[in-house]
Every structure is written in C-alpha cells, then in structure tokens.
C-alpha cells in the first residue's frame, strides 16, 4: 500500500510582521478526526480490503483482461481512501508534532490501516508470479489495462527480491513498530528541542534561521547552541540511525539486494549507473564549484578562513530587509505567470483556498514540503516562513511541487506518483523562473551580484551538499554492516564528506561533527538526497533548452509534468533531446553553476 508522505482546521490566518500568513484548511480531506465521513471511509476500507482478498487471492492467474482491470481499479480505490485518511492524520500531526492527541490519532489510524491492508499483501506477490507472456497477452487485449503497464513494470522489478507470502505479511504487519516508530521518535524529539541563543529560547527552525543573519556573532552563537543541544541528545540520534540502518541491512539481506542503495534506485525507476554518473560528475566538480565559490565568498566577507556558520551568511552588501507575504506571493506568481499563464492559474488556489500553512509555530514540523495527498483532492504545502529572500525561493520551490502534483493527478492514484529523480523537476524549475525574474529586475551591479551569489549557494546546497549527504549515507550504511557505530564513528563519517565537499577555506568548529543529527532525510527516506542533485542537474539542462528558444518547450514541459509516473526518465527527456544516462548530460547541468561563478568573478574586476 502506498500512503502519501511529504520529498513534509478552519482557514485561519496568522498576522505578524510578514502580513497575514495562511494556514491549512484540511476540510477538503475531512472536517474533523471524528467526522462521519472519516468513520465511513475507515469502515469501508476494512470491509473492502477483506472483500478484495476474498475475491482475488489465489485467482489472479485465472482472470481475463477485463477481470484484471477491475482488480487493479479496486486496488487503486483502496489506495485512494487509505491515502486520504493518512494524509489528513499526517498533516494535522505535522502542524503540531508535540501534541499528544494528534500523535495518538495518527498512530491509531496507521495501526488500523496496516491491519486492514495486511490481507492485500498477496496481491503484489501473486501478481509477480504471473507468467510474462500471460500478462503481456492481457495487456495487449485491453487498452485501459495497458495504461497501468508502468505500474506493473515497477512491481515486477521487485520480483527477484520478494520474500514468501508469510514473511511479506509479517513485515507489513510489524511496520508500525519498526521504521515508522523510529521516524516518529525522531520527529517528536526534533520538534521538542529548545536552543538557548544569547538568553533566548528558540526551536530548531528559528535557530537554523540565525545562520543566515548578517551579524556574525549571532551566526556563531546559533551554531554553538545547535552543537550543544545535538551533543546532549547524540546518543539518542545515534541509536535511531544504528537501528534504522541495521533494520534496513537485515531486510536487504533477506531480499538479496546487492547494495543498500538498490531499493531506492528500484523505487526511483533509475539505473544505478545513472546515479553513479551523477555522483562522480559532481564530486569531480567540487573544486570548480564549491571550493572556488567559497574562496570568493571568504574574500567578500573579509575573512582569510571561514567557519561553517559563514557558509550561508548574507553578503555584506546584501539588503537585510524582510519580505512580507504579499510581496513573496506576487514575486512567485509573476514569475510563474510570465512563463505560462496556466502555471499561475494552477498555483493560485494554493494561496486562496487554504492549501498553504506558512507561519512558524511551536511544535510545528521544521522545514518545508509539498504533500500530494491523493489525486481526488489536492496537494498541501507546508512552509516555515520567516521573511528571508531564501524563504521566497522555498515558496517557489514547494509551489512547483504542488503544480506538478496537480497536473500529474490526471493520471490517477497509481500512475501519478513521480519517481524521486524527477519529482524535483518542477520545484527546481519554479525556483529558476523566480530567480531569473529577480535577476532581470536587478538595478545595480551589487544587486545582481547578491542575486547571483544567492543562486549559486542554493545550487551548491542542492547539488554539492546533497551528493555529500549521499556519500555520508553510503559510508554509514556500509560501516554499520560491520557492527554498531558509536556517535564518534558517525561523527567521523560526517566530517570526512564535509571537508571534501566544502573545500580548504573552511575551519570546522568543535561540535559541528554532530550536525548530521538533524537531517530528516537520513531517517525518513534513506538515499533520497541524490534526487535533489538529479533534479537540479536535469532542470539546468532543461532550462538551457528553454533559453535556446525551442518553440514547443512549454507544451513539452507541461506534458512531462502531466505524465507523473507513467513514463521512464528516458522517455520523458527524449522530446527535449536530453538523456540522463549520458555522462555528458550532468556536465551540461553543472556548467550552468560554473557559468554563474564565472560571472561573479567577472563582477570583481
């Protein structure tokens, strides 16, 4: 069963120095946790799962094409209802992860749905035992069934790795006390952490935000506060990582997965050699990208050496004003509308209908995400808006996800979900449109320099930093196979990739070795992080095609987003003359970052 998860009440608004910030209206899912509609759907789900198993278990091989289509559609409807319930429960929880009632409601929903859907485990296993020629024959007879072939291909890619029916049911049944329980422990711990910065008590999001302050002493104080709290909790975070990595190793071993990354590659429908080509191209480019840029930045900051708290510091000439919500909305909507009016039309309901939750609130999950929910409803975007220019880019990013999810919903529940490698396409493209719009409006050389530097930093964070994260995960999972890892062991792995990726201009303050502890992707989605670099490289190459003036670019672009998960990345990129399996493809994407750094160096002369 696929429950929608985030790449993270009444339609109230919160007023503060940023203007009226929107909050979610979740009533399009359910009006309340005890609503009659939710109770109805939960009861239907229990009955339908049992009926589905009774109708089809042991019988899939005997179905004709029409019967198989009916089975697939019934399974899809179960997926919709289960996803709708869990989306509602999850979004309420993310609004206030420290609320015990919300946490209990989500856990109870997960327990019930896991129990109800356990009888469905047979479906994928039995489907994968179908003879290839028999399945091909059914698909050839029915065009509606043939639509689902990409789903079948992804299911059957797992065929060599599936276990016995009994073991698969056991793994499904105990999932709520496995990884998901450790995920919840991590989330609730993170949301409850408090950081003392110069006598002020802050949550994680607000403390991380200080790392982008103009005042260097504030950045330093925030870094030391983060390090102190992470160190105080480091044994717990090490336990979470050790347990999840060991659990993954056990399951991977039973499934005969050749590497810890294989499961992610299969779910992303991407070949390992493509990811390896991406990783190698980025690592090879470290000296030309991050090392070169940060040496430039050190000079701008008047520093011989940089500390990690200087990495995301604003430039000295940067305007430190905050951006209110109305201006952020207009900036992004204008950029989207200039590219294509229909893109702005798709984005507008997010602002007007309670599809965005923007304020920073006690207990709210940190970060930002776009949650697709289910294809019969609409996505929801979560932000922690603090009025920084980077928050405007985050809005552009998450809104891109939202637009992508709305367009892909046309494919239906089973075909709409885009593999992670392509899931970042619209979000990064939305950022690029917004950046280009701002760059066009730059009135001075200094303003242009600030914008270019900000974009380069965002791209380095998206490409270089995420590939460094990927290498850290690879090292961690590999090391865990040899035994339990102490916090010091994990710290050492973290530092090995940080120095390599950031360059020799950096010093690393005591305590920075623990900063792996707060990265949620390592816990929630092992090896997810390369998708960000994949998406950035892909969008850079796409944008180059756009700038070259392809007259059909916009229609091709919308077709790609509408395809959702119905096509392989080769098929989606072919109309643009691009091929991600070609190593030169990644160099093309990385050259755009180099070009921006070249321009920054030229502005110095």
């Amino acid at each position: 069963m696929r429950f929608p998860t985030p790449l993270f009440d009444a339609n109230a608004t919160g007023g503060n120095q940023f203007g009226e910030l929107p909050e979610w209206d979740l009533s399009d899912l359910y009006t309340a946790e005890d609503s009659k509609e939710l109770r109805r759907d939960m009861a239907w789900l229990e009955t339908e799962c049992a009926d589905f198993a009774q109708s089809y278990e042991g019988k899939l091989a005997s179905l004709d094409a029409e019967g198989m289509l009916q089975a697939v559609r019934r399974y899809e409807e179960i997926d919709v209802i289960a996803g709708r319930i869990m989306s509602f429960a999850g979004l309420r929880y993310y609004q206030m992860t420290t609320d015990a009632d919300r946490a209990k409601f989500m856990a109870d929903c997960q327990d019930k749905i896991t129990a109800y859907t356990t009888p469905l485990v047979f479906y994928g296993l039995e489907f994968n035992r179908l003879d290839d020629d028999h399945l091909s024959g059914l698909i050839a007879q029915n065009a509606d069934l043939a639509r689902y072939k990409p789903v079948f291909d992804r299911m059957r890619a797992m065929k060599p790795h599936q276990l016995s029916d009994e073991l698969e049911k056991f793994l499904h049944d105990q999932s709520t006390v496995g990884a998901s329980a450790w995920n919840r422990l991590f989330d609730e711990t993170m949301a409850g952490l408090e950081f003392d910065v110069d006598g002020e008590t802050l949550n994680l999001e607000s403390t991380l935000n200080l790392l982008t302050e103009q005042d260097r002493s504030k950045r330093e104080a925030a870094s030391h506060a983060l390090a102190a709290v992470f160190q105080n909790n480091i044994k717990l975070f090490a336990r979470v990582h050790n347990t999840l990595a060991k659990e993954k190793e056990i399951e991977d071993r039973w499934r005969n997965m050749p590497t810890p990354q294989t499961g992610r590659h299969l779910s992303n429908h991407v070949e390992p050699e493509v990811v390896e080509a991406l990783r190698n191209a980025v690592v090879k480019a470290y000296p030309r990208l991050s090392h070169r840029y940060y040496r430039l930045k050190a000079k701008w900051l008047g520093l011989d050496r940089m500390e990690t708290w200087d990495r995301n510091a604003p430039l000295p000439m940067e305007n430190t004003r905050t951006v209110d919500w109305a201006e952020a909305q207009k900036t992004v909507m204008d950029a989207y509308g200039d590219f294509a009016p229909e893109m702005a039309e798709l984005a507008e309901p997010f602002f007007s209908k309670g599809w965005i939750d923007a304020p920073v609130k006690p207990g709210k999950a940190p970060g930002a995400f776009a949650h697709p929910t289910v294809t019969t409803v609409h996505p929801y975007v979560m932000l922690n808006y603090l009025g920084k220019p980077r928050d405007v880019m985050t809005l552009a990013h998450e809104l891109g996800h939202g637009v992508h999810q709305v367009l892909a919903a046309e494919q239906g529940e089973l075909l709409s979900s885009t593999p992670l490698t392509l899931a970042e396409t619209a979000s990064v493209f939305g950022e690029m449109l917004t950046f280009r719009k701002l760059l066009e409006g730059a009135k001075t050389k200094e303003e242009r320099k600030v914008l270019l530097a900000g974009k380069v930093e965002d791209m380095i964070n998206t490409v270089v930093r995420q590939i460094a994260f990927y290498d850290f995960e690879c090292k961690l999972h590999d090391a865990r196979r040899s035994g339990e890892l102490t916090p010091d062991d994990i710290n050492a792995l973290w530092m090995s990739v940080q120095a390599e990726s950031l360059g020799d201009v950096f010093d690393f303050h005591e305590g920075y070795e623990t900063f792996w502890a707060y990265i949620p992707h390592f816990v929630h989605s092992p090896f997810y992080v390369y998708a960000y670099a994949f998406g950035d490289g892909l969008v850079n190459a796409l944008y180059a095609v756009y700038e070259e003036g392809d007259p059909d670019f916009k229609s091709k672009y919308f077709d790609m987003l509408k395809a959702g998960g119905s096509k392989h990345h080769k098929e989606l990129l072919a109309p643009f003359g691009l091929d991600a399996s070609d190593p030169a493809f990644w160099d093309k994407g990385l050259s755009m970052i180099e070009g921006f750094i070249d321009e920054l160096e030229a502005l110095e002369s």
Side-chain angles (χ1 to χ4, degrees):
M1 240 25 224
R2 181 182 64 81
F3 304 138
T5 54
L7 204 219
F8 263 64
D9 301 317
N11 189 19
T13 54
N16 56 24
Q17 71 266 37
F18 311 124
E20 295 296 310
L21 295 179
E23 298 185 40
W24 282 331
D25 175 1
L26 299 180
S27 62
D28 288 342
L29 291 165
Y30 298 103
T31 55
E33 63 184 70
D34 59 350
S35 70
K36 64 179 182 181
E37 292 83 7
L38 196 151
R39 292 198 303 271
R40 175 202 65 204
D41 284 355
M42 192 69 86
W44 178 89
L45 192 65
E46 181 178 18
T47 301
E48 178 62 11
C49 288
D51 288 350
F52 185 93
Q54 187 173 16
S55 298
Y56 297 113
E57 189 164 12
K59 303 170 188 173
L60 288 186
S62 65
L63 296 176
D64 59 16
E66 186 60 37
M68 184 64 75
L69 176 63
Q70 185 181 5
V72 171
R73 285 177 169 168
R74 282 183 66 181
Y75 187 90
E76 186 168 39
E77 180 60 19
I78 290 170
D79 214 16
V80 168
I81 299 303
R84 186 178 192 130
I85 294 169
M86 286 312 304
S87 294
F88 177 70
L91 291 174
R92 285 184 77 253
Y93 171 72
Y94 286 121
Q95 280 184 304
M96 194 179 294
T97 60
T98 52
D99 184 283
D101 290 336
R102 294 181 187 224
K104 172 179 165 50
F105 176 69
M106 185 177 73
D108 287 349
C109 287
Q110 184 71 75
D111 286 347
K112 288 178 182 177
I113 290 176
T114 299
Y116 297 165
T117 56
T118 296
L120 305 183
V121 172
F122 83 89
Y123 174 74
L125 304 173
E126 198 171 313
F127 192 94
N128 279 351
R129 288 196 287 267
L130 294 175
D131 179 76
D132 288 343
D133 291 338
H134 173 68
L135 180 59
S136 297
L138 294 180
I139 290 171
Q141 295 169 34
N142 191 301
D144 290 332
L145 184 64
R147 273 194 71 247
Y148 291 97
K149 187 177 183 299
V151 179
F152 303 154
D153 289 344
R154 286 195 284 274
M155 287 170 65
R156 290 170 82 81
M158 285 297 295
K159 187 175 180 177
H161 308 292
Q162 71 186 33
L163 305 173
S164 69
D165 292 16
E166 189 175 36
L167 267 177
E168 293 287 1
K169 285 181 179 178
F170 168 76
L171 288 173
H172 178 88
D173 226 9
Q174 64 87 49
S175 61
T176 57
V177 293
S180 64
W182 289 96
N183 282 195
R184 186 174 149 194
L185 173 64
F186 174 84
D187 288 341
E188 291 175 1
T189 301
M190 275 296 163
L193 293 181
E194 293 183 337
F195 302 84
D196 183 349
V197 184
D198 294 334
E200 186 178 4
T201 301
L202 301 173
N203 65 9
L204 175 63
E205 196 71 32
S206 298
T207 309
L208 290 171
N209 185 58
L210 290 177
L211 298 179
T212 62
E213 281 290 321
Q214 191 74 259
D215 185 339
R216 194 180 192 216
S217 66
K218 287 186 179 179
R219 301 197 304 268
E220 180 177 358
S223 291
H224 289 311
L226 290 164
V229 174
F230 294 158
Q231 182 59 47
N232 288 342
N233 293 273
I234 203 67
K235 289 183 179 178
L236 186 148
F237 295 131
R239 170 61 49 228
V240 170
H241 281 68
N242 267 291
T243 304
L244 288 172
K246 184 61 179 178
E247 182 189 59
K248 188 176 192 312
E249 186 273 325
I250 293 168
E251 186 168 335
D252 284 351
R253 178 161 30 91
W254 277 77
R255 292 190 182 281
N256 290 317
M257 295 283 188
T259 72
Q261 302 87 353
T262 299
R264 177 63 65 197
H265 299 337
L266 286 170
S267 68
N268 282 345
H269 207 43
V270 66
E271 300 76 17
E273 57 270 21
V274 172
V275 178
E276 191 65 11
L278 162 65
R279 182 262 171 203
N280 292 342
V282 173
V283 171
K284 184 179 178 183
Y286 283 171
R288 308 195 309 272
L289 302 179
S290 49
H291 297 188
R292 182 162 68 119
Y293 173 75
Y294 287 127
R295 282 195 293 270
L296 262 180
K297 184 166 186 176
K299 186 166 68 172
W300 296 332
L301 294 175
L303 300 171
D304 292 325
R305 307 282 303 160
M306 286 174 70
E307 276 285 359
T308 55
W309 57 72
D310 300 314
R311 187 172 60 84
N312 287 322
L315 302 189
M317 70 291 292
E318 189 168 327
N319 190 329
T320 57
R321 74 180 183 90
T322 57
V323 182
D324 67 30
W325 182 252
E327 183 182 348
Q329 177 178 340
K330 185 178 187 308
T331 300
V332 175
M333 288 292 281
D334 285 352
Y336 276 32
D338 286 353
F339 172 72
E342 55 265 48
M343 184 173 281
E345 290 169 14
L346 289 163
E348 194 279 331
F350 284 85
F351 295 97
S352 62
K353 294 187 176 181
W355 299 2
I356 299 177
D357 196 279
V360 175
K361 293 172 285 192
K364 183 178 176 180
F369 61 72
H371 191 308
T373 73
V374 288
T375 54
T376 54
V377 187
H378 56 75
Y380 284 91
V381 164
M382 193 196 82
L383 307 171
N384 277 275
Y385 191 80
L386 288 162
K388 293 288 181 74
R390 281 193 171 126
D391 291 334
V392 180
M393 300 305 288
T394 300
L395 172 60
H397 181 101
E398 300 304 339
L399 206 58
H401 277 308
V403 167
H404 192 174
Q405 290 158 359
V406 169
L407 288 169
E410 298 174 10
Q411 296 290 340
E413 195 67 20
L414 295 181
L415 285 162
S416 65
S417 184
T418 308
L420 292 181
T421 42
L422 295 172
E424 296 298 328
T425 305
S427 54
V428 179
F429 196 85
E431 279 191 76
M432 182 64 79
L433 291 173
T434 305
F435 164 71
R436 294 288 188 176
K437 179 75 173 173
L438 292 170
L439 198 63
E440 284 173 19
K443 296 179 178 62
T444 65
K445 176 180 172 180
E446 293 301 300
E447 195 176 341
R448 186 174 183 86
K449 180 177 176 180
V450 167
L451 286 167
L452 280 168
K455 185 58 179 172
V456 168
E457 290 193 23
D458 286 343
M459 296 171 99
I460 287 174
N461 284 337
T462 304
V463 177
V464 170
R465 188 162 166 79
Q466 301 304 325
I467 289 301
F469 283 178
Y470 177 68
D471 278 356
F472 166 73
E473 284 191 278
C474 292
K475 289 183 175 186
L476 185 144
H477 284 262
D478 184 57
R480 181 65 181 91
R481 288 170 178 249
S482 300
E484 178 92 3
L485 301 175
T486 67
D488 286 345
D489 291 335
I490 303 176
N491 292 347
L493 296 175
W494 172 255
M495 293 307 297
S496 73
V497 301
Q498 292 300 301
E500 179 190 21
S501 62
L502 294 178
D504 57 9
V505 77
F506 277 95
D507 290 326
F508 298 92
H509 68 87
E510 185 177 351
Y512 182 74
E513 66 275 7
T514 64
F515 275 45
W516 54 268
Y518 81 92
I519 309 297
H521 295 92
F522 301 156
V523 174
H524 292 297
S525 307
F527 305 108
Y528 176 104
V529 288
Y530 73 73
Y532 288 112
F534 196 109
D536 197 274
L538 189 154
V539 166
N540 290 344
L542 267 181
Y543 204 88
V545 175
Y546 173 50
E547 286 191 314
E548 288 162 9
D550 181 345
D552 298 322
F553 180 88
K554 291 176 186 177
S555 62
K556 292 176 185 176
Y557 179 72
F558 278 103
D559 285 345
M560 179 174 68
L561 300 189
K562 289 175 183 176
S566 67
K567 295 180 180 179
H568 187 268
H569 64 78
K570 272 185 174 290
E571 195 178 353
L572 287 170
L573 292 175
F576 301 96
L578 300 171
D579 181 2
S581 64
D582 180 359
F585 171 85
W586 300 113
D587 290 330
K588 183 172 185 174
L590 294 171
S591 68
M592 180 176 284
I593 310 176
E594 283 188 81
F596 288 154
I597 300 174
D598 290 342
E599 186 174 347
L600 282 168
E601 286 182 333
L603 286 171
E604 291 294 289
S605 57

